[in-house]
Amino acid sequence: MATEEPSAMETFAKFTNRNYARQAQAFLNAFWEEHRDEAERIWDMARLLASLDKEKGADGMEVDEFTAHRFLEKLGETLTVVEFRKVMREVDIDFNKRMALIEFLLFHYKKSVETFVERPQGTNEALIDAQDALERVKEEVEKIESKKRDLAQRAGGTGVRAMTAKAELEQLLSRDPTDLNRALITAEAAVRKAIRAGEAGLTAMGCTWWQQRELEELKAYKPRGGAKKAAFERGAEAKE
């Protein structure tokens, strides 16, 4: 007996169950030729929605109507309640009264679910390797940030223990992060390889662009300045 093919909506549901960054990458993979010039704007949208999601942040997948309204306002769409509800009825493709980023992107760029799911997502070994390398950089950043939080908390007290923590914190902020630098060099080489592989086959171009953008953010990281949480979300579109 032949296996029944999933419907467009069943396939689409798999994308709404990904975090905001991965939904954005999927959209760009599908519509790279039409919307490559919008990649930076879509990057900003994903970061904005993650920042507005007070419950799950960058790990979130969809937001309630109140947050969706705030998201539209931040994008310059000032709507009355009645106007917003009309828009929301068009945006909310799966009718669950919540908005996933991929739903908004399809609405905003006037694309259908059917066209989206028919478009290839693509992946390649170099893309997966590059994402793994980027994840290792993020791990190094998180190690530094975790150490900073611990030392800052201990430095907030008094006495010898606090003074020692303050000195250790200053050393951490001042010294060259060798492990992070090494991970960045590896990641940069891996991303360059993924770019070449993607351009050769024109596959997963949204993911490839996203990796380059993430690498830019990671290279700009300084222990003294801190990490922008939305920029360093964990998880990879490339592995699916």
Side-chain angles (χ1 to χ4, degrees):
M1 182 177 178
T3 303
E4 186 176 343
E5 289 293 322
S7 67
M9 285 304 300
E10 288 172 333
T11 301
F12 182 67
K14 297 177 182 178
F15 292 95
T16 61
N17 286 330
R18 300 176 180 182
N19 68 31
Y20 304 123
R22 295 174 64 210
Q23 290 179 39
Q25 290 172 61
F27 178 87
L28 287 169
N29 283 343
F31 301 111
W32 183 251
E33 288 303 313
E34 300 99 311
H35 297 299
R36 66 174 69 194
D37 292 340
E38 290 289 297
E40 186 68 28
R41 177 167 169 76
I42 292 169
W43 164 275
D44 289 338
M45 288 179 186
R47 288 168 57 111
L48 172 60
L49 197 54
S51 72
L52 293 174
D53 188 337
K54 301 305 181 184
E55 182 180 351
K56 294 185 177 179
D59 292 325
M61 298 177 290
E62 58 185 9
V63 294
D64 59 24
E65 291 185 341
F66 174 77
T67 306
H69 198 171
R70 289 190 63 212
F71 174 73
L72 291 174
E73 287 179 337
K74 294 284 187 180
L75 293 179
E77 299 287 342
T78 304
L79 303 171
T80 66
V81 172
V82 173
E83 289 171 334
F84 168 73
R85 285 176 178 166
K86 181 180 179 181
V87 170
M88 190 65 184
R89 282 196 294 271
E90 295 182 57
V91 172
D92 185 18
I93 293 171
D94 57 10
F95 306 110
N96 68 345
K97 298 187 183 298
R98 298 178 68 82
M99 184 189 79
L101 179 60
I102 188 64
E103 290 180 312
F104 173 76
L105 292 173
L106 292 180
F107 164 78
H108 182 73
Y109 292 104
K110 297 179 172 57
K111 304 297 182 183
S112 70
V113 169
E114 290 75 17
T115 301
F116 169 69
V117 300
E118 286 171 1
R119 295 287 182 93
Q121 287 292 313
T123 189
N124 57 67
E125 187 175 350
L127 195 68
I128 294 170
D129 290 343
Q131 192 62 52
D132 287 340
L134 286 168
E135 291 300 313
R136 287 192 287 274
V137 176
K138 294 175 189 179
E139 288 171 5
E140 291 300 328
V141 170
E142 179 52 33
K143 285 179 185 178
I144 294 171
E145 290 298 304
S146 178
K147 184 68 172 177
K148 279 171 56 178
R149 290 191 294 270
D150 177 59
L151 289 172
Q153 183 176 17
R154 287 194 277 139
T158 58
V160 175
R161 185 172 180 271
M163 292 296 292
T164 301
K166 288 178 184 177
E168 290 180 12
L169 179 58
E170 184 56 35
Q171 289 177 3
L172 177 65
L173 297 178
S174 302
R175 69 171 175 251
D176 189 40
T178 306
D179 291 341
L180 173 59
N181 291 340
R182 187 181 298 116
L184 276 168
I185 290 170
T186 301
E188 191 165 14
V191 169
R192 283 199 301 268
K193 185 176 180 181
I195 292 169
R196 291 194 297 270
E199 289 175 345
L202 292 178
T203 61
M205 295 304 293
C207 288
T208 301
W209 182 91
W210 207 272
Q211 288 183 347
Q212 294 178 75
R213 192 63 179 80
E214 278 195 328
L215 182 62
E216 288 178 19
E217 292 277 337
L218 290 164
K219 288 171 68 176
Y221 168 78
K222 302 295 181 187
R224 192 175 292 277
K228 298 176 184 177
K229 185 179 179 183
F232 303 134
E233 59 265 41
R234 304 292 297 278
E237 173 70 20
K239 294 189 178 184
E240 300 210 6

